Amino acid sequence: MSKHNPKEHTRPIYMATNGLRDPDWRWRLAVSSAPVTRTTRRPDAICWHLVDYLASGDEWITSLDGTRRFSIRPLLAIQNDRLKRLTLESRVLAFRDITVAAEASRVPVQVAHDYCSIFFDVGDRLHAVRAIDSKIIHAAGHRDDIVRRELYWHAYFGGPLVAEHWLLHLPFVGCEAEHDLETPEGRQREQLELTMASREPGPEFYDSKLLPVYQQLLDREPKRRPYAECVQDHVTDALEAYWRSEPTEAARKILHSRIAA
């Protein structure tokens, strides 16, 4: 009789029905399984083809419904490009719809769905707040990525308007860039930097030398209307212009009628 191995209970459960699975569980399973024999049990065809790709370089993957084959290369291009990856994934969290997120990110819809099936499998649990918060927003593998965490948190809990504001400034925040406080864009980016810093403030956050900078931000804060309302107006106008230029059925279902009309 074989001895009980306590480590068996600590291994990740790689199954589509596991509500606390990692978003890239299929990819993780393939990586942990290669090389593998045909007697090894795998949840679905995608997992088998990912193992084949890692073992032999065969880039063609069979879809979940078995009706078509797609190349993994466009998906890896998104996964390996930080800006593209954060943009698409945060919009999925914000819009709660992969098709709308793909259209807003100018990613082919089918590519976005294929990407999510392998690297961001969250479509069936976007309503599960605790699962999204623990496994996506505060994912253990991205513990040190403050920008990702704050972007995903604001996208999921704030919705499309908040997400679009963060994405507008995403290339300029979290990279130790100097922001011009004489411009609206610079002040907005500094606001986001302060938002992130306030979550886990380091010693430099309380540096008295920075007080004049904070005071400049407060002095330039809109006097008549809250900052959040100004952001909402700005992003609403941008979204309205985009959806009017390229209206879609998905947009009409998800977005406010004034934006999607």
Side-chain angles (χ1 to χ4, degrees):
M1 181 181 295
S2 61
K3 294 183 179 180
H4 171 68
N5 183 1
K7 292 184 178 180
E8 290 181 357
H9 293 285
T10 63
R11 294 175 181 173
I13 302 176
Y14 295 112
M15 294 296 291
T17 55
N18 177 19
L20 293 178
R21 65 188 184 273
D22 293 310
D24 57 346
W25 67 275
R26 287 188 173 91
W27 180 258
R28 288 170 178 258
L29 176 59
V31 170
S32 66
S33 300
V36 68
T37 65
R38 287 292 168 182
T39 59
T40 306
R41 183 180 178 184
R42 292 293 164 261
D44 52 45
I46 285 184
C47 295
W48 276 115
H49 287 287
L50 288 176
V51 170
D52 290 340
Y53 167 73
L54 293 171
S56 63
D58 183 359
E59 67 182 86
W60 295 99
I61 311 295
T62 299
S63 61
L64 286 174
D65 59 10
T67 60
R68 60 187 180 82
R69 286 166 63 81
F70 60 88
S71 171
I72 195 175
R73 294 189 183 278
L75 317 187
L76 291 174
I78 297 174
Q79 173 67 13
N80 295 329
D81 187 313
R82 173 179 166 79
L83 186 58
K84 290 182 179 179
R85 171 166 47 85
L86 295 186
T87 298
L88 177 60
E89 292 182 1
S90 64
R91 280 179 169 145
V92 170
L93 296 176
F95 289 105
R96 315 290 174 96
D97 186 283
I98 297 174
T99 297
V100 175
E103 292 168 347
S105 304
R106 299 189 181 277
V107 173
V109 171
Q110 195 59 67
V111 170
H113 280 271
D114 293 337
Y115 172 85
C116 288
S117 70
I118 295 176
F119 294 110
F120 203 60
D121 184 20
V122 299
D124 63 338
R125 52 182 172 150
L126 285 170
H127 64 286
V129 176
R130 293 181 64 182
I132 294 297
D133 187 59
S134 63
K135 302 301 293 186
I136 310 300
I137 298 173
H138 292 92
H142 300 277
R143 195 184 309 275
D144 297 328
D145 194 340
I146 298 175
V147 174
R148 176 191 180 277
R149 184 185 65 207
E150 290 300 311
L151 170 63
Y152 286 18
W153 190 93
H154 282 86
Y156 185 67
F157 291 104
L161 295 178
V162 175
E164 292 304 314
H165 178 67
W166 276 79
L167 289 174
L168 178 66
H169 301 295
L170 182 60
F172 308 98
V173 298
C175 55
E176 300 183 357
E178 293 287 339
H179 305 304
D180 184 1
L181 299 182
E182 297 299 325
T183 66
E185 294 81 6
R187 293 193 292 273
Q188 290 171 11
R189 290 165 189 168
E190 192 66 22
Q191 287 274 6
L192 299 183
E193 299 277 16
L194 293 174
T195 297
M196 292 187 291
S198 66
R199 299 280 188 170
E200 295 181 1
E204 66 278 1
F205 188 72
Y206 301 101
D207 189 342
S208 60
K209 296 178 182 178
L210 294 178
L211 290 178
V213 177
Y214 301 157
Q215 189 61 51
Q216 287 186 57
L217 286 172
L218 293 174
D219 291 343
R220 289 173 171 78
E221 192 83 16
K223 301 300 182 183
R224 297 182 180 178
R225 303 179 61 213
Y227 172 76
E229 290 186 13
C230 295
V231 171
Q232 179 170 322
D233 282 353
H234 167 75
V235 179
T236 300
D237 290 343
L239 282 175
E240 182 177 0
Y242 173 76
W243 292 117
R244 286 188 183 280
S245 65
E246 298 186 28
T248 64
E249 289 298 324
R252 293 188 177 92
K253 293 179 181 178
I254 301 297
L255 300 179
H256 188 278
S257 59
R258 188 173 76 87
I259 299 176

